[in-house]
Structures are given as C-alpha cells and as structure tokens.
Amino acid sequence: GDSVTQMEGPVTLSEEAFLTINCTYTATGYPSLFWYVQYPGEGLQLLLKATKADDKGSNKGFEATYRKETTSFHLEKGSVQVSDSAVYFCALSGGHSGGSNYKLTFGKGTLLTVNP
Amino acid sequence: ETGVTQSPTHLIKTRGQQVTLRCSSQSGHNTVSWYQQALGQGPQFIFQYYREEENGRGNFPPRFSGLQFPNYSSELNVNALELDDSALYLCASSLTGQRNTEAFFGQGTRLTVV
C-alpha cells in the first residue's frame, strides 16, 4: 500500500537557518503530494502541494519539488523564523479513478523548533 | 465562506462508553473524511463519506462508524471505547468532482478515554 517516510525529528534550528525536511514515498499510480503544518493545539493546515512530477509547490517561503525518479518531496526554506516552529507532515493522496479517492496517507511528522 | 468546524473540542469518556463527534464541512464541499491522530503520530485515515455513502475505509474496526447528512455535515461514532481510542480526531472536507482537490481540516476533537 501507499506509505510516506519523513525525517524524524525533532529538528532545532536558529532563526535564519536553512531548513530541509526529507520526505520519500511509495505509491501506485501518480499521487499528489502535500506538506501540512500543525501548530500547537491546532488542526492541520495545508502548506503546499504538487500534483505531478517536476511540479514545485511553494508558500510562505517554503518549497518542495515532486521528484518521481527519487520518489521524494523534500521541504525546504532558506531562512526560518521563530513563527515556523510547528510539526510538519508530508502526505500523499492517490490518483483519481472515476470516483472520489482523496484519502491522505501521512508521514509521522517532524517537530521543528526555531530559536531566536 | 465558513471553514470546517468540529464539536466538541475536548471530551472525556469512560472505557466501554459510546461517543459521537460532529463535523460541519466547508461551504461548497461535498466529501468528508475522518482521521485519527494518536499522540506523536501522523493522522490515520478512518473513512470517507461522499453523497451520504461510505466511500473508502482505513484499517479501523466496525465499532467506528459514521454518517453524512444531506447538508454534507458528518458524524463519527465510536462504540465500546477502548483506552487506545484516546486521540485527536480530525475531520477534513473536500470537493469531489475535481481531481486532486485538497482537503481542509478542522481543529479536531481531543478524545480522552479513561
């Protein structure tokens, strides 16, 4: 079945440091890939997405590129801020097949703490 | 445009009891999915509802059941609660009919079973 493996944390960085959180996946067909963020005590917010190979998703300075050849979707940010402290989840959803198939398969999450 | 809302936000139940969690989908969305997020883990797919029918189910026992109503809101029911059912339960809504529609999540219901 589908699965997502992401870098286990916690990750602790200083403000303005470069961030990379690795994510690889296993899936049949052509999944869509997502990064979700969860702030303390809150639900999940979509951070960015990519729906086909070589697409780059970006939002709020975060970027991730859909690499089919390496089955990866690594999250990067050039300069993190204290406000980026949260748990980050990589996820995939299966391809459309005539009906609804939007089940999301998540990684275990990576806790990021950014210190001033 | 209203977002996804869940109720209650927190509740405590005793082992063996039954619980009902509620979710109002985002305006214009017709599909609701439920996820269980244990502490320190990623969310796990429970099931999805579309047009009031279950449309996909994860690896959860039958004591986890659900409903979707004509207004697309949904309920998650869990019978015979076990201690391991303690988790954050997340509802997500999306629009079926467009490929790869993203899911929008509610704030979740924190269930504690004692």
Side-chain angles (χ1 to χ4, degrees), chain A residues 19 35-39 42 44-49 57-64 75-81 83-84 86 88 112:
Chain A
L19 169 70
W35 278 99
Y36 281 85
V37 59
Q38 187 173 39
Y39 297 101
E42 297 187 11
L44 298 174
Q45 298 177 27
L46 178 66
L47 181 59
L48 53 84
K49 67 177 182 180
S58 62
N59 185 28
K60 299 180 181 179
F62 291 89
E63 293 184 340
L75 182 68
E76 296 182 337
K77 187 175 185 182
S79 176
V80 294
Q81 305 300 312
S83 57
D84 294 327
Y88 292 81
L112 169 67

Side-chain angles (χ1 to χ4, degrees), chain A residues 30-32 34 36 38 41-46 49 51-52 87 89 93-97 99-109, chain B residues 31 33 35 37 40-45 48 50 55 57-58 88 90 92 94-108:
Chain A
Y30 302 94
S32 293
F34 306 84
Y36 281 85
Q38 187 173 39
E42 297 187 11
L44 298 174
Q45 298 177 27
L46 178 66
K49 67 177 182 180
T51 58
K52 60 183 187 296
V87 180
F89 293 94
S93 73
H96 182 70
S97 57
S100 171
N101 182 18
Y102 302 105
K103 167 192 170 185
L104 286 162
T105 299
F106 288 88
K108 291 187 175 181
Chain B
T31 301
S33 302
Y35 293 81
Q37 185 181 13
Q41 301 295 314
Q44 298 289 316
F45 175 74
Q48 181 181 86
Y50 169 60
N55 180 45
R57 187 179 183 93
L88 180 67
L90 295 165
S94 57
L95 178 62
T96 296
Q98 299 179 20
R99 191 171 186 271
N100 301 325
T101 301
E102 63 204 53
F104 291 81
F105 283 82
Q107 299 287 81

Side-chain angles (χ1 to χ4, degrees), chain B residues 21-81:
Chain B
L21 310 182
R22 295 178 175 82
C23 172
S24 293
S25 60
Q26 181 163 314
S27 177
H29 285 180
N30 56 14
T31 301
V32 173
S33 302
W34 286 92
Y35 293 81
Q36 181 195 65
Q37 185 181 13
L39 197 61
Q41 301 295 314
Q44 298 289 316
F45 175 74
I46 303 175
F47 43 55
Q48 181 181 86
Y49 277 82
Y50 169 60
R51 291 185 176 176
E52 303 176 53
E53 298 281 336
E54 186 179 289
N55 180 45
R57 187 179 183 93
N59 189 27
F60 281 81
R63 59 190 185 82
F64 285 77
S65 63
L67 285 172
Q68 186 180 31
F69 300 99
N71 65 355
Y72 306 124
S73 65
S74 177
E75 288 182 354
L76 164 66
N77 299 289
V78 187
N79 294 321
L81 284 166

